[in-house]
Amino acid sequence: MSSNHITTTHLMTLPPFLSPGDRVAFAAPARKIMPSELQPAISLLQSWGLQPVVPDHLYDSYHQFAGPDSIRSALMQQLLDDPEIKAIFCVRGGYGTVRIIDNLDFSHFAQHPKWIVGYSDITVLHSHIQQNLGIATLHATMPIDIEANHLLSPTPALQSLHSALFGKNLCHTLSSHPFNRPGSRRAPLTGGNLSILYSLSGSASDISTEGKILFIEDLDEYLYHIDRMMQNLKRSGHLADLAALIVGQLNKMHDNTIPFGRSAEEIVLDAVSTYNYPVCFNFPSGHIGPDNRALILGQEAHLIVGDEVQLHFLP
């Protein structure tokens, strides 16, 4: 397997890094949240010297959603347009962001970028913003994942979130996986939740993967669903011209009474078997709780897949 060093240039705009005293806010574009679930995140951000803002209607409830589409859209729009807010922390994923993405006006945000933070369903925002605005976003843990004891003992998820937001060196090192394919690449990182990427295919929010490092992760899916989604990425050309592939956590997979016959990792490996680029498995990002490492989507990164794996985000 070739390990030639390849550099690509698809650089995106980085929002300004945070400083103590900055005002940051919470948004709920998908599932609802209760005040008690948010309190640890409020305390954590205060301990970082930030001023967290809880906007009106954040705790609204409409079936599974944090309010009807109109309320969630209005809240997100308010935060995108507010010049005093330097970062937006999406409180949780689930489902719902795709229902409001076309209601949002990003014109002010495009002129005054700020960090959008989240993962899972928030992949809708990540993908849409990268594809249409060329602005980097942050795939990272969300307030629903933060517990009170994390203030006393910061997790890798929170340590990397802090580093990413405050412009510190962000580098992840992990042990190798038997399915890894070695190589070294420098390219912008893109991707997110596999199910969400699949759902965005062919839309205005669909990602461009050519010359980029693609990251995918997923949770609670049937194995044949994983295969169907990977075949979609392959047939649509999203896998053909990658710089590299990073496979995050593929957790809590399900099978049918008659087994599919392959693990989720084997399904992914089969889908990229005809391509010649580095592949890294079991990366600590996704639905993994306290070890959900922050990834700056849109920023150039250096991926080295060898005896160990290193992903370093370049300044």
Side-chain angles (χ1 to χ4, degrees):
M1 181 60 59
S2 171
S3 60
N4 293 334
H5 184 84
I6 292 179
T7 300
T8 61
T9 54
H10 304 274
L11 299 183
M12 295 195 179
T13 300
L14 280 179
F17 294 116
L18 299 185
S19 299
D22 281 347
R23 290 168 62 85
V24 298
F26 300 107
R31 269 197 174 167
K32 59 189 176 184
I33 194 169
M34 296 186 297
S36 60
E37 295 174 306
L38 190 61
Q39 189 54 53
I42 293 173
S43 299
L44 178 77
L45 295 178
Q46 289 173 336
S47 75
W48 289 355
L50 302 171
Q51 300 182 48
V53 175
V54 179
D56 293 340
H57 298 290
L58 184 73
Y59 300 124
D60 280 14
S61 174
Y62 181 75
H63 305 300
Q64 293 185 352
F65 303 121
D69 294 349
S70 59
I71 293 293
R72 302 197 320 281
S73 299
L75 173 55
M76 195 71 194
Q77 190 68 60
Q78 170 193 333
L79 300 179
L80 288 170
D81 293 345
D82 188 339
E84 299 299 318
I85 300 299
K86 305 304 181 184
I88 301 173
F89 294 86
C90 299
V91 294
R92 73 185 310 165
Y95 173 73
T97 309
V98 73
R99 295 182 56 87
I100 69 170
I101 189 68
D102 292 328
N103 300 334
L104 300 176
D105 179 357
F106 289 91
S107 56
H108 188 275
F109 173 82
Q111 297 299 316
H112 306 280
K114 62 190 72 179
W115 289 103
I116 305 291
V117 184
Y119 70 105
S120 190
D121 194 62
I122 310 308
T123 297
V124 175
L125 286 167
H126 294 316
S127 182
H128 187 87
I129 290 171
Q130 285 179 67
Q131 184 64 19
N132 294 281
L133 303 172
I135 296 172
T137 58
L138 189 54
H139 184 284
T141 193
M142 293 185 284
I144 191 64
D145 302 317
I146 298 171
E147 301 176 4
N149 60 5
H150 290 166
L151 275 72
L152 301 175
S153 180
T155 64
L158 295 181
Q159 290 172 334
S160 61
L161 173 62
H162 185 277
S163 293
L165 287 171
F166 286 85
K168 299 179 180 179
N169 181 53
L170 186 61
C171 184
H172 305 302
T173 302
L174 59 146
S175 57
S176 187
H177 186 279
F179 291 169
N180 283 2
R181 297 200 313 221
S184 175
R185 298 291 188 272
R186 287 179 59 171
L189 181 67
T190 192
N193 180 264
L194 176 60
S195 296
I196 300 300
L197 296 174
Y198 171 71
S199 75
L200 299 176
S201 182
S203 75
S205 306
D206 195 359
I207 57 171
S208 171
T209 60
E210 183 179 359
K212 297 179 183 177
I213 301 170
L214 176 63
F215 165 76
I216 57 173
E217 63 86 28
D218 220 323
L219 172 78
D220 196 27
E221 287 287 350
Y222 275 86
L223 291 172
Y224 81 93
H225 289 183
I226 298 294
D227 189 70
R228 178 165 57 195
M229 293 186 285
M230 291 303 301
Q231 291 302 317
N232 173 271
L233 290 182
K234 183 175 183 178
R235 296 184 67 234
S236 61
H238 283 81
L239 301 179
D241 298 308
L242 298 180
L245 176 66
I246 297 176
V247 184
Q249 298 303 297
L250 299 171
N251 291 337
K252 300 181 180 178
M253 295 290 123
H254 307 288
D255 208 349
N256 301 100
T257 303
I258 301 175
F260 187 77
R262 284 177 174 161
S263 68
E265 290 77 11
E266 288 171 332
I267 290 169
V268 173
L269 191 63
D270 174 69
V272 299
S273 60
T274 58
Y275 307 122
N276 186 29
Y277 45 69
V279 180
C280 159
F281 283 87
N282 200 34
F283 193 88
S285 188
H287 292 79
I288 190 176
D291 201 23
N292 181 10
R293 310 287 178 88
L295 301 172
I296 305 177
L297 299 179
Q299 185 171 8
E300 187 175 16
H302 187 190
L303 174 69
I304 302 171
V305 183
D307 293 337
E308 66 176 11
V309 175
Q310 185 175 97
L311 181 68
H312 179 219
F313 288 89
L314 304 173

